[in-house]
């Protein structure tokens, strides 16, 4: 797929989609959005990039291999859950800071958990799409 | 520093996970650094001896899963301490030994990971005071033992032996879990110390206690290789020598005996205890020593005599008198010391000469003097020669048998018979290879590095010291251990070297003489090895093989039926089961729709619904795959619009994103799919159409039922709605449910997603035939 239009548009859209995905992630606790849909939007940004300029370029854009992103997400979610244990509550108990931050609102471990979900979903989706895509390219 | 024993336990696990990195940095020397951890452990445990002797157990409690009443409860009493010392001290020696034995192996780091993982689990088993915690550590020993037995993982025999050990002990572990849960519920507590303080007679009299007893015994018997589960232990000798020395003589196989001893005050109150445990132990003892006679491999001889000793210990606990328990503890200590040394020295022989057949070995004492000395002491102790701990423990063994009820003189006959074989085996394994004429060996024999002989030599010193002055070991270790087993705080045991001219002493002398005679006959017995092979084939291992192959055949059959690789069949099965399971509950509960009160649907909603239906029908009828995919896309987007109309923007958004990515995946896979053809027969199509219609009807009815019952009972959604902001600081209830209320579900889901993605990755990128291309 060597479309100049697609390539030009994707350069703009990839960035926009990524910003949008972070936006979704951060507002998720109070408004529609969250780590799951944010992660999917981020993944579609990279999928778009891969369609426009090929899988190697998309991988370079991602910098870190999808598997590592996936593992990172799982670890973040787990650590966010363990924070409850450290504070002496059961696993996955949400801990909250009471100060209000702009955009995000209150900060708490559930937000970090959601960040973990975001990265896990991003990693899973890109891993599957890249594996499938590169495999079909090799066979061609 | 009150909690030092717990810190030691934790640091053993930490050391396990540091081992691979440490090995990368330090190479073969990493074992010496790692051994500092069990060394510190041995120090800490030794410091505890006076306190335990004074009858003050160490107790540590920490909440773990409070909602299930599971906590990290540890309690160290005399019995625990005896095991803790054995595990840590022999652990140090084995760690050194492995540094020499496996020197230069590139996965030595991995070996230490498993070994220390095992060490920690074993320390956990013997110091746990909570039945569930004990079970968790118990299973960890099974798993780490599996990894250790299969250390030479590119040898099929190793893998089979590891699997066999795992399956046998794992099956026993499941029985133990069931037994432990039943026992805990029956008694109302999972704390072992509380259980043992209860009125055993009342507990035993409860209905169902027999089940508990049998389940727990099955767990203990499989772990401790009791007949008919004994066969895995000799097979496990495919493991490297340090593993055999550690797991299969000194520690893990004694976990079953430990469990019997731990729960002794409770379980032995059952009238079934003696008639089950004592005979099983006796049969195991005889099986072990008889099979040992026919072996021509040092390790196998030691393995079968270990089976024999495990039987002896079980038998003594089964007899259950004060004297028998004391004898069991003394025997256990003596056996751990001499057998670990002998396993290591026979491993050294194998390592330095390449031979394990005792007939082909001789005169090695000049080449390897330290190993020879250690083996000599170990062998003499095993044979029960005076001035060694083995002698003292055998005296008590005979005294306990002379004192035992229930089988008359048979006890003594069995006991002496087994010990006679032990003498012959001890000479074969500990003395024969080093003395007499030097026999040529494939490798030129020379002394092993100090890491490999220092441990056995120190064990030999321990055997001599405790043999000469048994009262120290008696008062410090064996006595408190026996007192803990008997649940009797006031019981003080002492070990003595000299008891006067007793019957036991006479039996000991007879044993050694008969043993010497048997040793002289050994070559002739071994010549008839065919008989032993036949015995083994008739044995329970045959049953294990049949069971396993039957199970595998069944698994193959049901996989080919249920997992046949056709997506349409999977969907068919899922839909059919849903229809049947949900459908038969529906009659009677489906309300007749109340047309008058229903809200008239908006024209937009109707349009979207019609669009979805059109898309679905079109996808079924089209003869082009591409249009079918697009039609399904229409269905998906239509559903997303419905979500949006019914104010579920989160669901709508996710649905659209998933639809988009699904389309992408379809496109990527598109060219790899076979030509779109018409494969199904007309009858199949009609069947599918009927099933689809039924499924749709059932789902519609479910919605009706759900609608009518919703008004009455919406406690869950009301709770979520009301508490979302108050408890979880979020206004988006969907997201709050995902990341807070049901965060554990989410964690599980993303883990499953990750596993699925790895599965896709493995199938596409790592499959054979891709020529080992670089994979990322």
């Amino acid at each position: 797929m060597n479309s100049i239009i697609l390539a030009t548009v994707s350069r703009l859209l990839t960035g926009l989609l990524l910003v949008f995905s972070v936006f979704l992630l951060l507002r998720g606790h109070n408004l529609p959005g969250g780590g799951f849909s944010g992660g999917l939007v981020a993944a579609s940004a990279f999928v778009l990039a891969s369609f426009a300029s090929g899988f190697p370029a998309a991988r370079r854009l991602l910098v870190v291999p999808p598997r590592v992103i996936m593992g990172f997400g799982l670890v973040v979610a787990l650590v966010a859950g363990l924070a409850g244990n450290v504070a002496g509550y059961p696993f996955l108990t949400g801990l909250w800071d009471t100060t209000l931050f702009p955009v995000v609102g209150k900060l708490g471990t559930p937000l970090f958990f959601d960040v973990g979900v975001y990265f896990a979903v991003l990693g899973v989706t890109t891993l599957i799409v890249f594996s499938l895509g590169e495999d079909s390219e090799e066979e061609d | 520093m009150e909690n030092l024993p717990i810190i030691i336990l934790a640091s053993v696990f930490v050391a396990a996970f540091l081992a691979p990195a440490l090995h990368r940095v330090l190479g073969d020397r990493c074992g010496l650094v790692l051994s500092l951890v069990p060394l510190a452990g041995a120090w800490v445990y030794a410091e505890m001896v006076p306190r335990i002797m004074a009858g003050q157990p160490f107790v540590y409690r920490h909440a773990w899963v409070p909602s299930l009443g599971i906590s990290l409860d540890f309690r160290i009493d005399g019995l625990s301490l005896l095991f803790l010392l054995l595990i840590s001290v022999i652990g140090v020696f084995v760690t050194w030994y492995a540094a020499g034995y496996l020197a230069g192996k590139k996965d030595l780091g991995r070996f230490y990971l498993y070994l220390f993982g095992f060490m920690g689990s074993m320390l956990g088993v013997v110091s746990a005071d909570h039945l569930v915690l004990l079970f968790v550590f118990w299973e960890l020993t099974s798993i780490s033992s599996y990894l250790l037995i299969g250390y030479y993982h590119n040898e099929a025999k190793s893998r089979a032996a590891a699997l066999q050990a795992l399956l046998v002990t794992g099956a026993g572990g499941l029985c133990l879990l069931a037994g432990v849960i039943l026992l805990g519920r029956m008694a109302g507590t999972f704390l072992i110390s509380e259980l043992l303080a209860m009125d055993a007679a009342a507990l035993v009299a409860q209905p169902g206690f027999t089940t508990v007893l049998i389940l727990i015994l099955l767990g203990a018997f499989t772990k401790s290789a009791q007949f008919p589960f004994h066969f895995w232990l000799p097979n496990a000798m495919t493991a490297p020598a340090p593993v055999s020395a550690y797991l299969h003589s000194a520690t893990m196989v004694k976990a079953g005996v430990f469990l019997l001893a731990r729960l002794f005050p409770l379980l032995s109150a059952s009238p079934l205890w003696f008639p089950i445990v004592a005979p099983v132990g006796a049969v195991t003892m005889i099986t072990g020593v008889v099979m040992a006679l026919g072996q021509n491999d040092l390790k196998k001889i030691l393995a079968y005599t270990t089976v024999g000793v495990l039987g002896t210990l079980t038998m003594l606990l089964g007899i259950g008198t004060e004297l028998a328990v004391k004898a069991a503890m003394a025997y256990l200590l003596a056996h751990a010391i001499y057998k670990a040394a002998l396993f290591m020295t026979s491993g050294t022989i194998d390592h330095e000469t390449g031979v394990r057949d005792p007939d082909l070995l001789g005169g090695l004492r000049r080449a390897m003097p330290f190993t020879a000395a250690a083996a000599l002491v170990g062998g003499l102790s095993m044979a029960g020669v005076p001035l060694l701990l083995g002698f003292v423990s055998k005296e008590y063994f005979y005294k306990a048998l002379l004192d035992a009820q229930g089988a008359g003189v048979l006890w003594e006959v069995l006991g002496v018979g087994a010990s006679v074989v032990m003498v012959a085996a001890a000479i074969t394994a500990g003395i024969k290879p080093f003395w007499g004429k030097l026999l040529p060996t494939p490798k030129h024999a020379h002394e092993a590095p100090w890491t490999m002989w220092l441990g056995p030599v120190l064990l030999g010193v321990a055997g001599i010291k405790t043999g000469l002055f048994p009262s120290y070991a008696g008062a410090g270790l064996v006595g408190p251990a026996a007192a803990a087993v008997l649940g009797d705080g006031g019981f003080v045991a002492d070990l003595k070297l000299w008891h006067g001219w007793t019957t036991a002493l006479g039996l000991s002398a007879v044993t050694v003489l008969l043993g010497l005679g048997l040793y002289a006959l050994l070559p002739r017995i071994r010549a008839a090895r065919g008989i032993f092979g036949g015995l083994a084939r008739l044995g329970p291992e045959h049953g294990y093989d049949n069971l396993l192959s039957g199970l595998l055949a069944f698994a193959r059959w049901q996989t080919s039926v249920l997992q046949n690789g056709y997506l349409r069949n999977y969907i068919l099965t899922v839909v059919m089961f849903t229809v049947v399971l949900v459908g038969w509950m529906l009659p009677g509960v489906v309300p007749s729709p109340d047309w008058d009160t229903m809200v008239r649907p908006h024209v937009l909603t109707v349009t979207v619904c019609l669009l979805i239906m059109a898309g679905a029908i079109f996808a079924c009828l089209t003869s082009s795959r591409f249009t079918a995919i697009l039609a399904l896309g229409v269905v998906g987007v239509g559903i997303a619009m419905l979500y949006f109309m019914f104010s579920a923007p989160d669901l709508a958004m996710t649905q659209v994103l998933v639809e988009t990515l699904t389309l992408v995946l379809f496109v990527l896979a598109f060219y790899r799919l076979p030509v779109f053809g018409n494969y199904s027969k007309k009858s199949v199509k009609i069947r599918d159409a009927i099933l689809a219609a039924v499924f749709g009807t059932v789902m519609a009815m479910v919605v009706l039922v759900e609608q009518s019952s919703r008004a009455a009972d919406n406690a869950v959604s009301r709770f979520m709605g009301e508490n979302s902001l108050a408890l979880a600081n979020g206004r988006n209830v969907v997201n709050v449910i995902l990341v807070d209320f049901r965060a554990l579900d989410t964690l599980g889901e993303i883990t499953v997603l990750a596993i699925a993605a790895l599965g896709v990755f493995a199938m596409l990128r790592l499959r054979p035939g891709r020529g080992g291309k670089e994979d990322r």
Side-chain angles (χ1 to χ4, degrees), chain B residues 675-696:
Chain B
V675 182
F676 194 75
N678 205 344
Y679 295 110
S680 31
K681 281 182 281 186
K682 190 153 192 180
S683 58
V684 173
K685 282 185 177 167
I686 292 172
R687 180 198 70 189
D688 290 351
I690 293 173
L691 190 69
V694 172
F695 186 54

Side-chain angles (χ1 to χ4, degrees), chain A residues 65-85:
Chain A
R67 270 182 303 163
V68 179
I69 296 179
M70 187 170 89
F72 175 72
L74 287 178
V75 170
V76 169
L78 190 69
V79 168
L82 285 174
N85 294 53

Side-chain angles (χ1 to χ4, degrees), chain B residues 614-627:
Chain B
I617 293 170
F618 193 71
C620 290
L621 298 182
T622 181
S623 57
S624 143
R625 178 174 283 128
F626 195 67
T627 29

Side-chain angles (χ1 to χ4, degrees), chain B residues 436-509:
Chain B
K437 198 158 64 75
L438 181 66
L439 297 175
T441 51
K443 277 199 223 168
H444 180 67
H446 53 81
E447 183 59 281
W450 68 270
T451 44
M452 287 173 71
W453 57 254
L454 186 58
V457 165
L458 289 176
L459 284 171
V461 172
I464 296 174
K465 216 177 137 191
T466 48
L468 282 174
F469 308 105
S471 57
Y472 290 125
L477 291 174
V478 175
V485 175
L486 293 163
D488 177 3
F491 175 77
V492 180
D494 190 13
L495 293 182
K496 277 191 256 151
L497 180 57
W498 180 248
H499 296 274
W501 299 102
T502 58
T503 325
L505 186 66
L507 287 177
S508 276

Side-chain angles (χ1 to χ4, degrees), chain B residues 89-450:
Chain B
V89 172
I90 297 179
V92 174
F93 298 155
V94 165
T95 310
W96 290 346
Y97 187 84
Y101 191 86
L102 296 170
K105 294 271 191 302
K106 77 172 190 304
D107 44 8
L108 183 61
R110 196 164 56 85
F111 177 82
Y112 278 126
L113 166 66
Y114 302 158
L115 191 77
F116 274 65
F118 168 78
M119 193 187 290
S121 322
M122 202 61 213
L123 292 173
V125 166
V126 298
S127 46
D129 191 31
H130 194 289
L131 284 173
V132 175
L133 186 64
L134 186 146
F135 170 77
V136 169
F137 282 122
W138 180 279
E139 289 296 274
L140 281 176
T141 63
S142 291
I143 293 165
S144 46
S145 138
Y146 166 75
L147 294 168
L148 284 168
I149 298 172
Y151 174 72
Y152 295 124
H153 55 84
N154 32 20
E155 285 169 27
K157 221 176 135 195
S158 259
R159 292 198 302 268
L163 187 66
Q164 189 181 52
L166 181 71
L167 289 178
V168 172
T169 56
L174 286 179
C175 294
L176 177 66
L177 176 64
V180 152
I181 291 174
L182 285 175
L183 177 62
R185 292 182 67 101
M186 198 179 275
T189 175
F190 282 96
L191 284 186
I192 296 171
S193 47
E194 283 181 14
L195 269 171
L196 300 185
M198 290 171 94
D199 179 11
L203 204 57
V204 166
Q206 287 206 32
F209 189 82
T210 310
T211 321
V212 172
L213 177 73
I214 289 172
L215 287 171
I216 292 181
L217 288 183
L218 279 173
F221 287 170
T222 48
K223 196 77 163 182
S224 273
Q226 298 295 306
F227 185 88
F229 310 111
H230 63 280
F231 52 85
W232 70 263
L233 179 57
N235 290 340
M237 291 302 127
T238 49
V243 174
S244 311
Y246 198 33
L247 274 69
H248 305 122
S249 71
T251 57
M252 188 188 82
V253 289
K254 296 222 173 82
V257 175
F258 170 81
L259 185 70
L260 295 180
R262 178 85 291 171
L263 299 175
F264 179 82
L266 179 64
L267 299 183
S268 65
S270 162
L272 287 172
W273 169 267
F274 176 77
I276 297 178
V277 179
V280 166
V283 170
T284 309
M285 177 174 82
I286 297 305
T287 312
V289 295
V290 168
M291 292 306 292
L293 278 177
Q295 307 303 318
N296 63 341
D297 172 344
L298 285 178
K299 272 186 103 174
K300 281 275 165 85
I301 295 173
L302 292 174
Y304 275 112
T305 54
T306 303
V307 171
V309 169
L310 293 169
T312 310
L313 295 173
T314 306
M315 184 178 87
L316 283 171
L317 287 173
I319 292 170
T321 57
E322 272 192 13
L323 205 52
V325 169
K326 187 171 149 187
M329 293 301 117
Y331 207 94
L332 190 147
L333 177 66
H335 173 256
I337 291 176
Y338 72 70
K339 196 52 86 53
L342 284 177
F343 261 115
M344 287 194 242
T345 55
S346 69
T348 307
I349 296 172
D350 184 21
H351 196 255
E352 301 303 329
T353 67
V355 179
R356 284 203 324 220
D357 186 340
D359 292 337
L360 305 177
L361 290 164
L364 291 172
R365 68 180 182 283
R366 278 183 214 290
M368 31 178 79
F370 297 112
T371 307
L376 178 67
V377 176
L380 291 179
S381 185
M382 181 173 170
V385 170
L387 304 185
L388 290 161
L389 188 58
F391 168 74
V392 180
S393 67
K394 193 170 289 178
E395 287 292 279
Y396 280 91
F397 172 47
Y398 285 157
K399 273 173 77 176
L401 291 184
L402 289 165
D403 179 54
Q405 303 294 314
V409 76
L410 187 62
W411 291 129
E412 289 95 62
V413 172
L414 290 176
V416 172
S419 303
V420 165
V421 184
M422 300 280 186
V423 173
I427 300 172
T428 314
I431 296 167
K432 162 86 171 58
F434 298 100
W435 303 82
K437 198 158 64 75
L438 181 66
L439 297 175
T441 51
K443 277 199 223 168
H444 180 67
H446 53 81
E447 183 59 281
W450 68 270

